Amino acid sequence: MKNKFLIYLVLVAILSSGCKDLITPQIENNRQLQESYNPSDAKFPYGLILNGYTRIPINSWSFNDVATDDAVTNDKSSSFLKMATGQWAANNNPVEQWSNCFAAIQYINLTLEQIDKVNWAVDTTVSRLFNMRIKGEAYGLRALFYYYLLQAHAGYGQDGSLLGVPIVLHSQAVGDDFNLPRSTFKQCLQQIEADLDLAATYLPVDYKDLTDNSQIPDKYGTVSKEQYNRVMGKTMSGLLSGRVAMAIRAKAALLAASPAYSSASGGSWASAADDAASIIDLKGGVAGMAANGLTWYGNASEIAALAEGQNPDEILWRSNYSESNDLEADNFPPSLNGKGRVNPTKNLVDAFPMANGYPIGATGSGYDSNNPYNSRDPRLSDFILVNGDKAGVNNTVIKTAADGGTNDGLDRTETSTRTGYYLKKLLRQDVNLSSTSTTTQRHYKPLIRYTEIYLIYAEAANEAWGPTGTGGHSYSAYDVIKALRQRAGIGTQNGDAYLESIKTDKDKMRILIRNARRLELCFEGFRFWDLRRWKAPLNETATGTSIKNNQYSTINVENRLYQDYMEYGPIPYSETLKFSNLVQNKGW
């Protein structure tokens, strides 16, 4: 009887709640765009564009260098290791950007479609300024994501056309035609340029507080400095600015002018040089090169003093800083409690010249194969740990010799170096990974460094006008490379005799510029893409150095198994299965 009475009570409760509630679902608790057009809810629609920021492909380190001749990894499960040794495929692509970038573009397109409906602030002038700034951010971000799509997926189709990716300029919804053909590379480049032109009409060059109304650019109309600073002031630093948009243009122009794309891209070396020069001029020309730009990642006092969004002299755009020791935990040698993941190659070590500026194989270099690290380019000791170097908070001697007696030695354990070298660049040596006194330090990820912009100019200007030509600017490729080498401490005792000997030779200067880019930007995710846009050899065997009884010998560490068609990445296989109009690149 007791159980029957309980059942009866439950039935009464159900019936008293009303049949309608049983069969009709409640309104879902999902925010709709229409609900967020008032100033009190403006943060919600801005969240759409924030989705774009969080998807920027270089927000974190990829270390795809281990798939090039610059490094290998001791992580046997690494997708980059597998890619470099023959497993790269359209359905197994560690450098794929398709899904991420098109998802970001969807959010950006939604932003552009909704932005004029939103009241961003009670003050109508401030609301108009917010409208302009966010439009500028959106156009700039869309250009950035199309740049990364071209870098990862542009290539020649089966009919010999240089193709880019589908251009999507509106948000896609159920019922839309998703079976879109790829636009040409040239059309994609034109779209990037058009978006950047629009970004420039809305954005300030830099976000900074103004002290007088007369400083407000005319394009913003009648505005007070208080209203301007609220929207475009220094508290917005870190967002995409006019200067960042200029840098994206220079990056895209360099890609288009490069040998892999130049025949059908519509780009030119002169355009790439001009675009880079427009930023360099804002920096004060070659003289504006940051004196401490080589060691930006380890300039402890500079990093400690960073305010939110503010940039060191070397950095054009960066991520937020964080307190961590992840990079060190992954890459310190075993004796410092690290995993030693990224192992620079002897190929890269040999690319560093002597301190006198001569390549190690050149007559007059003074290179001694029995004492290979003596009198070398100072950047070598900044970027790479070699046998006998000191590292870590306690200046521990790192012995990479095969007979060195520690787990730092060549191939001693699964976390030991495979090449005889460990990564030093990017790592804070004041991090302690000891289990009894673990510490973290402040790090940040640069999105664009000024050194990259100077190198874009040097490469493009040399190709357009020769080593000493200026194209109407006040500096040449030679001037930039000379300044970079002086900053690195190269050739300071002999007037950089090697550079002077090749300053009129475009081909030799090209080799030097490409090598400068290799060294200055190593481990920052450039080499993988540079080799492909240059149509340079991809299959150089990764080598290392074995030291036994103080004798140095070169060892082959890892064979690269790339095919010629892999100068261009694939369209994702899953996408070509779904959409018949999506043409795959040759070879894939």
Side-chain angles (χ1 to χ4, degrees):
M1 288 294 295
K2 185 176 181 180
N3 288 339
K4 289 182 179 179
F5 182 69
L6 288 174
I7 293 171
Y8 173 76
L9 287 178
V10 170
L11 287 172
V12 169
I14 291 173
L15 292 172
S16 65
S17 68
C19 294
K20 183 178 180 182
D21 287 342
L22 290 176
I23 61 176
T24 304
Q26 293 293 322
I27 297 173
E28 293 184 7
N29 188 29
N30 292 332
R31 297 287 301 278
Q32 302 298 312
L33 287 173
Q34 297 94 314
E35 301 171 28
S36 59
Y37 295 155
N38 294 319
S40 60
D41 274 336
K43 288 182 181 179
F44 177 57
Y46 191 65
L48 295 174
I49 198 170
L50 289 180
N51 268 280
Y53 279 107
T54 60
R55 292 175 185 273
I56 294 173
I58 57 171
N59 276 335
S60 59
W61 300 106
S62 76
F63 291 114
N64 57 25
D65 309 74
V66 301
T68 75
D69 53 356
D70 274 3
V72 300
T73 180
N74 63 20
D75 179 6
K76 301 300 183 183
S77 65
S78 167
S79 58
F80 292 130
L81 183 152
K82 295 174 182 178
M83 179 175 72
T85 53
Q87 297 183 46
W88 193 13
N91 61 352
N92 180 32
N93 184 8
V95 293
E96 183 255 314
Q97 290 298 332
W98 194 276
S99 300
N100 175 68
C101 287
F102 275 117
I105 289 169
Q106 169 78 351
Y107 282 111
I108 291 164
N109 287 339
L110 273 170
T111 300
L112 289 169
E113 290 166 359
Q114 300 299 323
I115 191 169
D116 289 335
K117 303 173 185 177
V118 179
N119 295 313
W120 296 97
V122 174
D123 184 323
T124 57
T125 297
V126 170
S127 182
R128 177 173 60 82
L129 289 177
F130 271 118
N131 181 290
M132 293 180 70
R133 195 202 75 207
I134 295 168
K135 278 182 181 176
E137 292 176 72
Y139 286 121
L141 283 170
R142 190 165 70 183
L144 180 66
F145 284 106
Y146 271 111
Y147 163 77
Y148 283 117
L149 282 167
L150 287 184
Q151 184 185 62
H153 299 292
Y156 283 90
Q158 304 302 319
D159 65 353
S161 299
L162 179 61
L163 300 175
V165 297
I167 296 175
V168 182
L169 303 181
H170 62 87
S171 62
Q172 294 176 296
V174 175
D176 284 359
D177 182 7
F178 288 83
N179 191 13
L180 302 175
R182 295 169 65 186
S183 298
T184 66
F185 186 105
K186 185 175 182 178
Q187 289 168 333
C188 290
L189 182 67
Q190 290 171 337
Q191 182 59 50
I192 289 171
E193 291 171 342
D195 276 346
L196 292 173
D197 286 342
L198 286 169
T201 66
Y202 295 115
L203 294 173
V205 174
D206 298 302
Y207 296 107
K208 58 185 180 181
D209 289 342
L210 305 183
T211 57
D212 189 88
N213 289 346
S214 64
Q215 298 171 315
I216 299 171
D218 292 340
K219 63 184 176 184
Y220 296 116
T222 303
V223 179
S224 71
K225 67 179 187 298
E226 290 80 13
Q227 291 169 317
Y228 179 90
N229 291 343
R230 178 178 170 185
V231 182
M232 310 286 187
K234 69 178 183 179
T235 56
M236 302 302 167
S237 297
L239 300 177
L240 194 147
S241 65
R243 188 181 298 246
V244 173
M246 294 164 69
I248 296 169
R249 186 186 296 273
K251 289 165 70 74
L254 181 72
L255 184 72
S258 298
Y261 307 103
S262 59
S263 63
S265 69
S268 72
W269 289 117
S271 293
D274 289 342
D275 290 339
S278 66
I279 305 163
I280 294 171
D281 290 343
L282 290 176
K283 193 78 166 72
V286 175
M289 190 178 293
N292 63 351
L294 279 174
T295 54
W296 56 268
Y297 53 89
N299 299 335
S301 59
E302 181 179 74
I303 297 173
L306 284 179
E308 288 290 346
Q310 301 305 298
N311 288 328
D313 197 27
E314 166 63 12
I315 305 301
L316 194 153
W317 196 27
R318 66 172 176 87
S319 67
N320 289 331
Y321 57 73
S322 62
E323 300 285 339
S324 66
N325 58 21
D326 294 342
L327 279 174
E328 292 75 22
D330 280 342
N331 294 292
F332 269 175
S335 65
L336 300 181
N337 300 296
K339 298 176 183 177
R341 287 306 190 208
V342 176
N343 306 156
T345 58
K346 185 175 185 292
N347 315 58
L348 176 59
V349 170
D350 287 350
F352 287 87
M354 301 298 290
N356 64 15
Y358 283 87
I360 64 171
T363 301
S365 72
Y367 175 71
D368 180 359
S369 60
N370 294 316
N371 193 9
Y373 315 125
N374 185 49
S375 300
R376 294 292 293 277
D377 177 347
R379 290 174 296 188
L380 177 57
S381 62
D382 285 337
F383 298 166
I384 297 174
L385 279 175
V386 305
N387 185 54
D389 275 355
K390 295 179 180 180
V393 68
N394 294 318
N395 284 321
T396 302
V397 175
I398 306 301
K399 299 178 181 179
T400 67
D403 56 1
T406 74
N407 284 342
D408 295 339
L410 182 72
D411 288 331
R412 290 292 296 267
T413 72
E414 64 181 11
T415 57
S416 302
T417 176
R418 299 172 60 202
T419 62
Y421 305 102
Y422 290 99
L423 179 67
K424 187 175 183 182
K425 185 179 180 182
L426 310 180
L427 310 184
R428 290 286 297 262
Q429 299 302 310
D430 48 358
V431 161
N432 192 339
L433 296 178
S434 168
S435 59
T436 59
S437 54
T438 304
T439 63
T440 61
Q441 293 293 347
R442 183 175 286 188
H443 299 71
Y444 66 90
K445 173 71 170 63
L447 302 178
I448 303 174
R449 290 206 291 133
Y450 280 106
T451 294
E452 179 191 355
I453 305 301
Y454 282 105
L455 286 164
I456 289 174
Y457 179 83
E459 180 178 346
N462 181 62
E463 300 297 339
W465 310 308
T468 58
T470 64
H473 304 291
S474 60
Y475 40 84
S476 65
Y478 159 80
D479 293 325
V480 169
I481 294 302
K482 182 177 180 179
L484 285 170
R485 285 163 71 89
Q486 286 178 339
R487 182 177 74 174
I490 298 170
T492 57
Q493 302 302 311
N494 65 348
D496 205 348
Y498 179 74
L499 177 62
E500 295 304 312
S501 73
I502 67 165
K503 66 184 291 185
T504 60
D505 189 319
K506 180 178 179 178
D507 294 334
K508 289 182 179 178
M509 185 63 77
R510 178 187 303 118
I511 293 171
L512 191 65
I513 290 169
R514 290 185 178 184
N515 196 63
R517 187 175 172 92
R518 180 182 190 178
L519 302 183
E520 291 277 347
L521 303 179
C522 64
F523 309 115
E524 297 182 47
F526 288 90
R527 182 71 172 170
F528 181 85
W529 305 109
D530 283 345
L531 289 172
R532 284 159 175 77
R533 69 178 178 85
W534 290 331
K535 297 178 72 71
L538 303 176
N539 282 327
E540 184 176 339
T541 299
T543 61
T545 297
S546 176
I547 308 172
K548 294 180 180 179
N549 299 318
N550 293 319
Q551 298 297 309
Y552 294 78
S553 61
T554 300
I555 57 172
N556 290 337
V557 177
E558 193 169 279
N559 293 325
R560 300 300 191 217
L561 297 175
Y562 292 114
Q563 305 298 318
D564 290 344
Y565 64 83
M566 293 178 176
E567 289 169 347
Y568 309 97
I571 303 300
Y573 180 64
S574 59
E575 297 296 306
T576 61
L577 286 180
K578 289 186 290 186
F579 305 118
S580 59
N581 287 334
L582 208 53
V583 176
Q584 183 60 276
N585 287 330
K586 273 187 181 180
W588 297 97

